[in-house]
Each structure stands twice: as C-alpha cells, then as structure tokens.
Amino acid sequence: MHLLPLLSFRYAEVRIVFEIEQRAIEEKIKRFCLEEGLPEPVLQWSWIPFSGHWGISTSFFALAAQEARQGGQVNIPERAQGIARAVADYLGRPAGFERVEAVKGYLNLYFSTPGYTQQVIDTVLEKGEDFGRGEPLNRRVMVEFSQPNTHKAFHVGHLRNVILGAAVANLLEFAGNEVIRANYIGDIGLHVIKWLWNYQKFHLGEEPGEDRIRWLGDIYAEAERRSEGSPEAEAEIRALFARWDRRDPQVVELWEKSRAWSLEGFDQVYRMLGVHFDRVYFESEVEEPGKKLVEELIARGIARDERPEGAVIVPLDEILGEKEKYRVLVVLRSDGTSLYATKDLPLAIKKFEEYNLDQSIYVIDVRQSLYLQQIFKTLELMGYDWAKNCYHLAYEIVNLPGNVTMKSRDGTVVLLEDLVREATSRALEIVRTKNPELSNEQQEMVAHAVALGAIKYSMLSRDNTKIVTFDWQSALDFNGQAAPYIQYAYVRANSILRKANQALPASQLPVYELSPVEIELVELISRFPKEVQRAAKEYRPLYLANLAYDLARVFNDFYNQCPVLQAEETVRAVRLRLVAAARQTIGNCLRLMGITAPNVM
RNA sequence: GCCCCUGUAGCUCAAUGGAUAGAGCACCGGACUUCUAAUCCGAUGGCUGUGGGUUCGACUCCCACCAGGGGCGCCA
C-alpha cells in the first residue's frame, strides 16, 4: 500500500511465549525437508482460527507448489496435506504441545493448555501496565496533530484528528519509540485578520464568557457572513492585514489578547480530552523565517518569482520532469503575504533541527495529501536527506448526514462542547438508574468516562480511510460495539477481584480442564503485544479497537459461563488470576486509545 | 484530463494472501433468587460493485471498467 512508508528499520521481534519452542519446530521441519529432498520451506506461522483451541499453524501449499514447478504434475492441496501428514508424524509430539495434526494441508500445533495458560497469565501479571510494551527501538518520532486555528470554533470535525493523533502517538511510544507530541497552532493568517476586523467594527470591548470557543467561533462565522461578496469589507480586511504585516501596535495588542482567549479555550478542550503536547509550535513563529526561506529558494533557483503578475512558485513538475504529478507549489502570495507553504517549510526544518528526528509524522486530513507531498518534495530538492522521513498520516474527514462537510465559516458544525455535554448528560442518566448507590461525584466521573470513551471509540474503531458520518443518534448510542461495552467488561472484572477480597493467588498451573471460553480469553490476551506492533507499524488504532472489543466480548462470555468466587479452590485461584490478566489487558488497550477505564459504572 | 480514497448482510463496519467471510444496529424469540442484565443465548440475513489476470489458494495483489467522494497556482 503506497500510503505506508518504506520502513528503513525493523521493529523488534515480539517475544511473548513459545518462541523458543516455535524455533525448534522450524528447525525440525527444515531438517525433515532436507532429508526428504524437498526444497527449503519458508514457514509462515499464524494462529489456529478455531475458537476454543489455540496454537500455531502453518501450511505446505507453497512448498507443494514449489515442488510442482520443479517436478511433474501434482495435485497441490493433496500434496500439501501429504507433506503436512509426514511432518506431523516426523515431529511426534514436541515438548510444550499437547497435540499435532495435519488438516487440509495445514500443520496445526496445539499448545499444551495448562502450560500456555500459566505462561500467558504470569507474563501479564508480572508486566502489568507494561504488558505489551515493545523493546526500546532507539528511534525518535514526532507526531504532529490537532493543529487548530485560533479564533475559530473547535468542532466535531477537528475531533477525529486529536483522537487519532493521540492514539497513534501512544501506540508508537508503547511499541518502543521515543515520541514527541507536537501541536501546530494557526494563530495568524487571513482568518485571524477577518476575526479582528469584525471584532473591531462590531464587538469592540466585548469579552468572552465561560464558553470561549463558541463565542470566538460565532464572531468568526459572522465575519465571514459580513465580508462575503462585499468589496468594501474585503478592502478593509486587506488594509488590516497590511497593518498586521507592519506590526501596528494596536493590531498586535488586540491579536495578542484574542489569541490568548483562544488558547485558553484549547487548553480546556485538551484537558477534557486528556491530551497533552510536548512541543507547541505557532504559525506566527515561523512566518518571518518562512519569508526568508522563500528568498533563499528564489536565489537557489528552486522557486520562481513571478511577481508582480504572479506569485512565488516552486514548479515541481517542471523541475522533476513529471507531468501532472506534483503540480506547482505556491510559496508566497503576489502581495508578499505568507501562505501555509511559506510556514510549513521552515517548520519542518525546525523540527528536525530541534529534535534530530528519525521520523516526522503529520496527522492531517486526506484532502491535503498532494500539498504535503509537495512540501516533502520541496524539502528534498533543498537537499534535506531527512525529507524522506516525513510521513503524512492521512485520515478521512467527519461529515454530517448527506455528505455535508463541517465548515467553521458557514457555521455548519457540531461543536465539541455540545457533543460532550449531550453525551455526558445521557451517560449520567443511565448511570443514575443503573447504579443509584454511587455518590454524585462518582456518577459524574463515570458519565464522563463513558461519554468520552464512546466518542473516542467510535472514531478509532473505523479505519483511517473511511469517512465518518456524524449523527446524533449513533453518537449517543452506547450499545453494541462501543466503548461502554468494553468498559463494562473491565468493571465486571474489577468487581470480581474486589469481592474476592484477597491478594491474588500465586502462579498456578491449571489442574482442571479449561473451558473453551477460558482458552479463547487467554489466546486473545496473548495477542495483545503483536497487535500493538502491527497497529504501530500501520498507524492503525483500529486493530486495538477490535482487539479490545473481542476481549470484552469473550470476557463477558466467560463471566456468564465460569463462576469464579464460587468455584472450588484450585479453579478459583486460576480464574482469579485470569480475571486479573484480562482486566490488565483490556485496561492497557483502553489506555492506548486514550479511553478511561472506570472501576465502577 | 491527471492523481487519491471508498464499494462486503436492510444499515454502520470488521476480516495477517489461507481452513466455514464475521460483529454491531434493526427485526423476531428466549435468560435476572446468581461475581453488576450497560450482559448473555438463539433465529433471520452474502454472486465481497463488474469483468479479466497473478497464485496451489484472492474480500485482500495487478489491469480495465462502473458508481460515490476528494484533490489538482496565489484557501487552509
């Protein structure tokens, strides 16, 4: 898939359990092939897909096909089964496995149930919050996300970016990278000037109330309405932009004041979402460096100055000998004012200079794909080798029903504030009926966790390339495959452990026959470390969202089928540890997604 | 015109190139004297947009087409 960058490094192999046993079997199979005069096989292991059983599986179709190419006519599936059969006989029953079978060309190796269960549970409980964490990769990555514009509303369309960016940052970090979470705030540009213009003319002296973001957003939307199609207004706005450009103290003062209001609003939002940043960049800090950089580009012949008739451009296709591929990047307006590109170039450089990054990720919606390729290409032309380590993590946007895109300028938005308030009050209503004995404070905490969890999960459980259609009904639906379901499983596990009212028993080798649902639960738990690596590699929190749901579903099943506290002592001890391991793993999944796992609900 | 994304159950979405394509919602029928029913069990529902190709094997990879969405010089 072209969206994925070529990985110039290797993620550390995940070692959980049975890796040594697997290696030994690989060796034996290779030896078998050698003895039988078969080609050396390339073994790809996967999970046995039958629920209630676990183990590892590989097939011999490739080997049979290879043989067929060298020799005569062979029925591949039959031959694959023949080899699998022979290998199974050859292997006998290796240590650590309870059964080996050959089915339909597959060799299935079933783990020894008690041993595997004990190993998985012990590993989880020993590692705790670090269960699933990858080995340090000695690799530094910056994830830039959120990038809000000051003086504008913060709406549901912006939410996906924050949630995805935060989750990807968590994932990369947990997978073993050193992660720097960066924000890049649009605190200057035409939209800001329009806001200032409207404020000066119609709202002078007003101050924001509690709900800063709404107030700021309203003034902005009004500015758009007032200026649209009015040459007079546009002239005034241009004049104001010019005053800004020469740093007229009066304009700067108002800018600073209103900008601060906006930033306070953002802080509220990020606090509510539980997101933090290690480094915050501002457009205003790279505007002047950007203009200097454009001069340099012109001097070096990379950019062409077409002023005053045209703008300053980098004719990428012309330089690269391409046709309609990279097109033309405009780096400065004809009137000398800055554009996105003017600022993104110096910002990219600054990031690498400040942090000596191995990778720089831009979490930005898919509509800016071409633009970002242009930026990266221009940096490459400037001679920056690291340009190839810039990566655009594109995601699809959040639309309103009828495929209507949210736009601050049109006011066709659902404010984040409204969504969270509505979701929280709905959740509060439910928690009050379900759990009236909780204190008000507890109920509110639960409602907040549930509401935000549901919102976050609905975005993370969808692939990055899929458009999200926002509608109130499904946004406020806490049923089915949703965060509350997962949180509830966590709470149930927690409840059992609390009621056990004892320290966790010591490590146990199960001496009773485990039920299929217990086996499935252990298997899902054991997948977590690999899923972390896979999700990090592909920048897809979706994999975690799926695993978390599967864990919750199987745990609920277990909960119904397998008594814990009432069970006889040997069973009880194992199950208590299993419950603790499930709780830990579900909790780790939720934490990476930025979703709170409440203790009660 | 060039480029990108999407197309799977009525709807919203899953599914390492592998074994019988799975969930949720909706609809129908069941289960609370039990570790929290925000739960569970059962039933219904499919020519994976179409046509080729690669492969032992394709929802998955390649090509063409169809449908929807997005991007392509001074917006962000």
Side-chain angles (χ1 to χ4, degrees):
Chain A
M1 213 169 131
H2 93 285
L3 277 177
L4 297 174
L6 289 173
L7 299 169
S8 55
F9 63 98
R10 279 175 64 89
Y11 274 93
E13 285 296 318
V14 184
R15 187 186 186 289
I16 332 167
V17 282
F18 278 91
E19 187 186 318
I20 293 166
E21 290 83 348
Q22 182 179 311
R23 287 276 147 75
I25 286 166
E26 278 176 22
E27 286 312 309
K28 271 190 105 168
I29 294 175
K30 282 181 182 157
R31 204 173 334 130
F32 169 84
C33 291
L34 199 67
E35 287 171 13
E36 294 295 310
L38 291 164
E40 178 162 333
V42 179
L43 297 169
Q44 285 191 342
W45 297 96
S46 57
W47 298 301
I48 292 175
F50 311 131
S51 71
H53 297 97
W54 69 67
I56 51 175
S57 167
T58 190
S59 71
F60 292 96
F61 297 110
L63 190 60
Q66 214 177 324
E67 205 186 13
R69 272 190 293 276
Q70 290 168 5
Q73 291 292 321
V74 195
N75 178 317
I76 306 274
E78 254 173 43
R79 179 60 183 148
Q81 172 59 13
I83 299 172
R85 178 77 268 153
V87 171
D89 290 343
Y90 184 80
L91 288 176
R93 192 159 67 84
F97 292 87
E98 68 181 12
R99 192 153 62 91
V100 176
E101 69 174 7
V103 183
K104 295 181 180 177
Y106 289 83
L107 178 72
N108 294 333
L109 296 144
Y110 292 88
F111 292 147
S112 159
T113 312
Y116 189 66
T117 298
Q118 187 181 24
Q119 264 196 74
V120 171
I121 293 174
D122 287 358
T123 305
V124 177
L125 295 180
E126 185 192 316
K127 300 235 170 112
E129 289 187 355
D130 286 330
F131 172 59
R133 185 185 288 281
E135 294 297 312
L137 296 164
N138 193 25
R139 179 168 180 272
R140 188 181 288 171
V141 182
M142 177 175 279
V143 181
E144 181 202 290
F145 62 103
S146 192
Q147 309 111 331
N149 282 328
T150 60
H151 303 79
K152 276 194 186 179
F154 204 107
H155 58 70
V156 172
H158 299 129
L159 192 58
R160 189 176 192 181
N161 185 300
V162 184
I163 292 168
L164 175 64
V168 166
N170 292 344
L171 259 171
L172 288 168
E173 192 167 67
F174 200 66
N177 297 279
E178 182 193 342
V179 170
I180 296 141
R181 293 165 176 80
N183 200 347
Y184 177 43
I185 296 182
D187 61 342
I188 194 55
L190 196 55
H191 72 280
V192 177
I193 303 298
K194 279 185 181 169
W195 190 96
L196 296 176
W197 168 79
N198 189 33
Y199 180 84
Q200 270 196 332
K201 256 190 117 159
F202 302 100
H203 297 274
L204 201 60
E206 290 178 22
E207 301 238 337
E210 191 77 349
D211 199 345
R212 286 156 197 279
I213 295 215
R214 185 191 310 274
W215 181 79
L216 286 152
D218 285 346
I219 292 183
Y220 173 72
E222 190 182 277
E224 285 289 351
R225 279 200 303 280
R226 286 198 163 117
S227 61
E228 183 152 28
S230 161
E232 197 180 320
E234 276 171 23
E236 286 173 16
I237 289 165
R238 267 202 307 277
L240 192 60
F241 209 152
R243 284 176 66 193
W244 156 260
D245 252 359
R246 54 175 192 271
R247 299 295 184 269
D248 181 322
Q250 200 202 335
V251 179
V252 170
E253 194 201 330
L254 181 57
W255 172 72
E256 279 174 348
K257 193 160 75 173
S258 53
R259 175 180 181 272
W261 289 333
S262 228
L263 296 181
E264 286 161 20
F266 293 155
D267 277 348
Q268 287 171 8
V269 168
Y270 294 136
R271 214 174 307 129
M272 179 176 71
L273 293 174
V275 171
H276 80 278
F277 295 95
D278 306 304
R279 175 69 164 102
V280 179
Y281 296 100
F282 293 95
E283 276 190 42
S284 57
E285 71 180 281
V286 280
E287 189 181 28
E288 286 312 312
K291 288 179 180 176
K292 286 204 190 77
L293 195 69
V294 170
E295 290 307 316
E296 186 196 325
L297 287 172
I298 297 169
R300 289 176 58 185
I302 296 169
R304 186 191 300 147
D305 191 350
E306 296 182 338
R307 288 176 294 180
E309 306 81 34
V312 181
I313 62 162
V314 178
L316 285 162
D317 277 342
E318 196 180 301
I319 295 171
L320 297 164
E322 295 279 359
K323 260 179 74 180
E324 299 192 87
K325 186 166 181 191
Y326 290 101
R327 315 279 166 158
V328 162
L329 178 65
V330 180
V331 290
L332 199 67
R333 284 202 190 87
S334 48
D335 65 2
T337 56
S338 67
L339 291 157
Y340 244 36
T342 323
K343 297 169 264 196
D344 259 321
L345 292 168
L347 177 63
I349 297 166
K350 194 168 185 167
K351 287 174 173 179
F352 277 88
E353 281 176 352
E354 279 183 5
Y355 292 99
N356 188 27
L357 302 171
D358 293 296
Q359 192 187 21
S360 181
I361 296 174
Y362 295 71
V363 182
I364 300 180
D365 81 60
V366 69
R367 294 171 300 183
Q368 296 197 37
S369 291
L370 174 61
Y371 167 72
L372 285 161
Q373 294 320 306
Q374 291 175 327
I375 292 290
F376 300 159
K377 210 36 142 180
T378 302
L379 290 165
E380 200 180 306
L381 288 173
M382 293 175 75
Y384 293 111
D385 284 341
W386 47 253
K388 64 180 186 305
N389 300 324
C390 293
Y391 176 65
H392 175 207
L393 173 48
Y395 65 91
E396 266 292 357
I397 58 175
V398 179
N399 277 343
L400 294 165
N403 224 12
V404 174
T405 300
M406 295 190 206
K407 288 201 172 96
S408 330
R409 58 191 311 161
D410 304 342
T412 53
V413 297
V414 175
L415 290 187
L416 177 58
E417 172 93 19
D418 291 338
L419 172 61
V420 172
R421 192 192 308 116
E422 200 52 44
T424 308
S425 84
R426 178 79 63 100
L428 190 59
E429 211 174 291
I430 297 171
V431 74
R432 278 191 180 134
T433 64
K434 302 274 181 197
N435 233 333
E437 69 279 9
L438 293 181
S439 70
N440 276 344
E441 197 187 347
Q442 272 181 311
Q443 286 175 337
E444 274 166 28
M445 276 174 56
V446 171
H448 190 256
V450 166
L452 277 161
I455 292 166
K456 289 179 178 181
Y457 191 84
S458 70
M459 297 205 169
L460 294 175
S461 61
R462 190 159 308 219
D463 216 341
N464 300 338
T465 53
K466 289 254 166 68
I467 294 172
V468 170
T469 301
F470 177 88
D471 71 274
W472 280 100
Q473 205 184 342
S474 51
L476 298 177
D477 186 2
F478 300 149
N479 296 313
Q481 185 170 355
Y485 179 89
I486 301 163
Q487 291 168 317
Y488 185 62
Y490 182 91
V491 165
R492 280 179 144 181
N494 196 52
S495 179
I496 291 175
L497 295 168
R498 192 179 57 243
K499 294 219 164 137
N501 198 26
Q502 65 174 87
L504 220 48
S507 176
Q508 303 273 323
L509 184 73
V511 292
Y512 65 101
E513 192 179 347
L514 293 159
S515 68
V517 71
E518 286 174 287
I519 294 171
E520 204 182 342
L521 186 54
V522 173
E523 203 227 321
L524 285 173
I525 291 170
S526 75
R527 279 188 197 177
F528 177 63
K530 280 186 180 170
E531 289 298 274
V532 167
Q533 294 295 324
R534 193 161 73 97
K537 241 181 268 190
E538 298 181 27
Y539 313 105
R540 282 165 134 160
L542 167 67
Y543 295 147
L544 275 190
N546 285 342
L547 181 64
Y549 175 72
D550 286 341
L551 277 164
R553 188 172 46 74
V554 173
F555 182 80
N556 275 322
D557 216 359
F558 164 82
Y559 184 92
N560 279 305
Q561 289 180 38
C562 304
V564 178
L565 300 179
Q566 307 300 325
E568 64 146 310
E569 193 45 43
T570 49
V571 178
R572 177 187 154 103
V574 171
R575 286 189 177 160
L576 274 176
R577 288 178 66 80
L578 175 56
V579 169
R583 178 181 67 168
Q584 185 71 60
T585 310
I586 293 171
N588 287 3
C589 277
L590 289 175
R591 192 181 73 241
L592 290 179
M593 290 190 280
I595 297 173
T596 304
N599 286 324
V600 290
M601 66 186 273

